[in-house]
Amino acid sequence: MFLAGILGPLRKELADSLSSCRVLVVGAGGIGCELLKNLVLTGFKNIEVIDLDTIDVSNLNRQFLFQKNHVGKSKAQVAKESVLRFCPSANITAYHDSVMNPDYNVEFFRNFQLVMNALDNRAARNHVNRMCLAADIPLIESGTAGYLGQVTVIKKGMTECYECQPKPTQKTFPGCTIRNTPSEPIHCIVWAKYLFNQLFGEEDADQEVSPDTADPEAAWNPEETAARASASDQDGDIKRVSTKDWARSTGYDPVKLFNKLFKDDIMYLLTMDKLWKKRKAPVPLDWHWTYGLKDQQVLSVGGYSQLFQRSVETLRAQLKEKGDSAELVWDKDDPPAMDFVTAAANLRMHIFSMNMKSRFDVKSMAGNIIPAIATTNAVIAGLIVLEALKILNSDFQQCRTIFLNKQPNPRKKLLVPCALDRPNPNCYVCASKPEVTVKLCVHKTIVQTLQDKILKEKFGMVAPDVQIEDGKGTILISSEEGETEANNGKFLSDFGIRNGSRLQADDFLQDYTLLVNVLHCEELPRDVEFEVVGDAPEKAPPPSVPEEEKSITNGNKDSAQPSTSTKAEDDDILIVDSDEEPSSSTTDVSMETGSLKRKLQDAETGETASKRKRLDQQPAAEDDDDDDDIIALD
Amino acid sequence: MADHKTNKDQRYDRQLRLWGDHGQEALENAHVCLVNAAASGTEILKNLVLPGIGAFTIVDGHRVSGEDVGNNFFLSSDSVGKNRAQATTELLQELNTDVSGNFVEENPDRLLDNDPEFFHRFSLVIAVQLEESTCLRLGSVLWNAAVPFLVCRTYGLVGYMRLVVREHTVVESHPDNALEDLRLDQPFPELTNHITSYDLDNMEKKDHSHTPWVIIVAKYLQKWCREHDFQLPRNYKEKEAFRQLLREGIRKNENGTPEEEENFDEAIKNVNTALNPSKVCVSVEDLFNAEQCENITSQSPAFWVMVRAVRDFVQAEGRGSLPVRGTIPDMIADSDKFISLQNVYRERALQDAAAVSRHVESHLQAVGKVCIWGTLHMWNAAFLRVVHCRALVEEYGVDTVHKDEITSCMDNPDSEMVLYLMLRSVDCFYQQHSRYPGVYNYQVEDDIVRLKLCVHSLLQEYGLTVNVKDDYVHEFCRYGAAEPHTVAAFMGGAAAQEAIKLITHQFVPFNNTFIYNAMAQTSATFQL
């Protein structure tokens, strides 16, 4: 009897329920691999696993079910095969697919007694959260980032859901900062990623890279117009065609591209002289380079020029190979794509008098790389299964949110278990009648923005239907193709939407209805299209972050903004609450920081400390008093 | 070769961002020995093989049983009957072809009888599920050979780790609160000269707003000192006044309103950082006072020669300060100004490092050794640490036991300390009965009584007047010495992480006992 080993500590009924229950594992990456192993060896028999990702070399340092010869194959499929090799008796179903695909509807989720997330991005987490709420199936949520990790349990009506606490929206950069006046390396890196898409990938109107003449700061005098006109002569014809078409017409000639991007466009920027009254003006570059470069270091301008040329040539060849209308997808682990961004970003940094960055650092920032190691994932996956056992034992009172520290904290605890919070009655997802108020200008906001930016991006819907509560039930947006596309370009006011209007947004797949109250406002801050009333303001960054932390925690793939990749990138993101969020001026995104209040039940003292600081970053002064709140002074 | 390097860089990209190339190099040079390839052991090794340790050797005399296959991922049903070291080595090896896997089909006790020196060759020895007497024997062999020893155990829903290392030196402790090393309170001459080369009053506007904040603060500190009896701002009030002085330094436009000068904003924000006194921190001071630092012999480990050289430097060239670190934070500045400032610090750091190496050389010469310092990583003297653990014999000795730690923890009868006492009690049970309690279902009731006796005799032996609740005795009998996989997986992650700390000499390992309670998901560390 192989199970003898666990039958002792786990009661027999529980062991029986393990072999009959069905569980879903969402994600077969760092945590997912460990989790599958732990599940089968704990006695779980019926497991389904879903992941749309394929295996990359950089996964192999921790995703132990994969080997070199599996690179490029489906994670879910290979994970299943590897587990079966060792445990042939398990019954595993693998889906190489996105969990957001409508095939995985509420009925699908109801097949399971338990769902476990091993995900890497907020969109999918939001979605699975809603599916589990709709199906009323318990969910275990988890994430890791470097040495840090977290596990929590979500049960409809009993605990907070994943979206009960607003997560700060990621920092985005105003278009004119990216296009005209970059002041930090990250601005140049974002610009270079936009450029990649403009040249080789999917063009996106929000990712313009050429000088922005509408920059309010640059409002010029009439007499200067002549100078500007002559300066823009040479790209006068570029304006009428897209960047991509122009690049194509030159045959992706690296020198022509270089001259336009790093010389002509910069000279054009110089003519917007108001911008340079207080700033140091950029210095256009001439095409030249010298031989002799080393990888992984900060190169000379010549070196980057050469790298730019080489990478454009490689990408051009890739594009050609794929056919005429092909598009490349930027991937940080694809060397030519990474070379291109490193080169273009560094050249721009140089032009704008910034210190250039090594490829290694650019990769961190451009790819929003979260360091990931086997040990943290192993610990977290071990914790997940123990929580799973409590859930299957219907022992929700014993379930905890558990934080894994980098090292034992001043109280000598490596793990910090916290009692689960009750649902937030005002949650816009799990409340009985979810409702939000959105501040926007009805004359300036188009239906497309409501759909894409507000309902999909902000409120995590996948395919919303929207009806105006105007007594007539006017359909504003339909998720059926071909029904309401004509509305997309129209303003909300065109449909009689005004201050106080109520919109009912439905997502059929998520079985989720959200009532949106419109608060009309004429004047929103620059570059802001809408605001959600009562949204938690972004937490002020901690005053000082140690140098090495800056480079390891700078971001995650949830930062939808600078990330242009559409494919699932990396795994295992810390889901909430890290005080190590980057404050560095060189980083682009904040970790998802939840200002979660936390009821800590200390096993030794039974005390409850609310608002416990997640990580004890302060000097390890022996801390025996009850208050762990630390106020960090600058 | 270059290709192999790129391949490795890609494979290890996500971890290089934590411990760097030099940490990786240390891993790749390490040879780890695992005693007993039980589930906890293979989970630990898995987490060391994946990030690429150089080699491992498994020592295990057991034959694979059905139970092993049930909780160990690195065994399959056709391994039953084979030697456990061999069977697991084969499967662990598959995880990473860069790692060399070896095995010894031998009972560790026999190895200790016949060839105790066998264990001297390893960078680290990890023992799991090892019975007490063998563990103590192995512990003393390794203690005498100064080989780090990590004991790890999964017992039902309890995890246990014990680090046994005489002296572990940490080169990069990665403190969470690392402060910049700018020396603005006592600028070195080259820095003073560099500061003097700036004339904030007679500068182009653009240069003024692109002067690094370090220069600004230094300039105004000079001014402040002249006006305040050569005293730096000491308290909040004075610092506030100093900030005000900086604020007044911001250029004004023709209408008298201040310009936006972000570098000045940065300067104001960084006043505290800048005024942080450049003194030798307590933990490094302790190193200087250590005996190993005082008496350098031909046997002295490199770390201590280095510490001594740094101490000599502080007393001589450094005039009370550590060598300059040489790195400065990113700041608003144009490239030229930033780079020249950076160079001032860097040059000084190189000079200081050269001075330290001269001290190293003279010590080595004095003890008749040749300098072997070729590729010393750019380390930082302020981040040096040393960890001393107690030997197992001290923990087990009736006279040397840390009674106070145990008694004070047991003020709370549910402290993780009770789990430690229970583990000791089941070991006592094993000694008497040659088996652990509760392994056979029909004996559980009888075993509860027997285990209670063991608890009492343990407490009596050590003169501990603490109360161990009966619940724990029942619980431990119910465990039947099982090793549930998910607890083993947790311990595999936690222990491997400590192993990586030990091997890379980065981050401070726990000292010296770690207990994990899987039911409550709590953990604690104790000094035993």
Side-chain angles (χ1 to χ4, degrees), chain A residues 407-556:
Chain A
Q407 55 204 11
N409 65 13
R411 291 164 160 273
K412 302 186 177 180
K413 309 288 185 194
L414 188 70
L415 299 174
V416 182
C418 305
L420 298 170
D421 280 313
R422 298 285 304 159
N424 168 9
N426 299 318
C427 175
Y428 64 72
V429 175
C430 73
S432 59
K433 288 208 162 63
E435 195 168 331
V436 288
T437 300
V438 177
K439 194 176 184 189
L440 48 74
C441 176
V442 295
H443 308 301
K444 290 184 195 153
T445 308
I446 58 171
V447 172
Q448 180 99 48
T449 304
L450 172 69
Q451 178 185 295
D452 292 350
K453 299 259 171 78
I454 302 181
L455 296 175
K456 287 189 179 173
E457 210 170 281
K458 175 72 199 173
F459 293 117
M461 291 186 163
V462 174
D465 292 279
V466 179
Q467 189 179 326
I468 310 173
E469 293 206 332
D470 53 1
K472 293 179 284 185
T474 309
I475 307 280
L476 191 64
I477 298 170
S478 165
S479 57
E480 291 292 322
E481 218 171 298
E483 288 188 352
T484 52
E485 272 78 354
N487 293 351
N488 283 354
K490 294 185 183 157
F491 295 108
L492 298 187
S493 55
D494 295 343
F495 298 88
I497 296 171
R498 56 197 164 85
N499 191 34
S501 289
R502 288 155 75 85
L503 310 175
Q504 186 185 310
D506 273 295
D507 189 298
F508 179 74
L509 177 62
Q510 296 176 341
D511 194 10
Y512 170 51
T513 303
L514 177 67
L515 194 65
V516 180
N517 295 294
V518 175
L519 179 64
H520 172 67
C521 171
E522 289 282 346
E523 287 300 322
L524 282 157
R526 190 170 78 130
D527 277 311
V528 173
E529 287 179 291
F530 68 94
E531 273 171 13
V532 178
V533 176
D535 224 2
E538 215 165 304
K539 209 173 89 173
S544 81
V545 175
E547 194 60 39
E548 55 268 275
E549 303 301 346
K550 285 183 189 170
S551 57
I552 63 165
T553 56
N554 56 5
N556 65 46

Side-chain angles (χ1 to χ4, degrees), chain A residues 2 5 9 34 37 61 86 147 333 360 364 375 382-383 386-387 406 412-415 546 552 604 634, chain B residues 14-15 17 43 46 66 73 94 176 269 272 330 338 412 478 482 485-486 497 507 516 521 523 525:
Chain A
F2 289 171
E34 300 281 342
K37 164 182 71 71
N61 79 328
F86 292 96
Y147 298 108
D333 289 314
F360 192 77
S364 275
T375 50
L383 296 175
L386 287 157
E387 291 305 307
K406 186 160 80 181
K412 302 186 177 180
K413 309 288 185 194
L414 188 70
L415 299 174
I552 63 165
E604 281 169 42
D634 184 10
Chain B
R14 301 300 187 268
Q15 67 200 41
R17 286 161 204 284
E43 290 298 307
K46 155 182 150 293
F73 191 75
E94 279 183 23
D176 280 335
K269 218 171 66 192
N272 264 342
D330 250 346
F338 180 82
N412 168 12
R478 206 162 57 79
H485 182 80
T486 192
Q497 191 53 56
F507 300 96
Y516 168 53
Q521 305 276 47
S523 74
T525 48

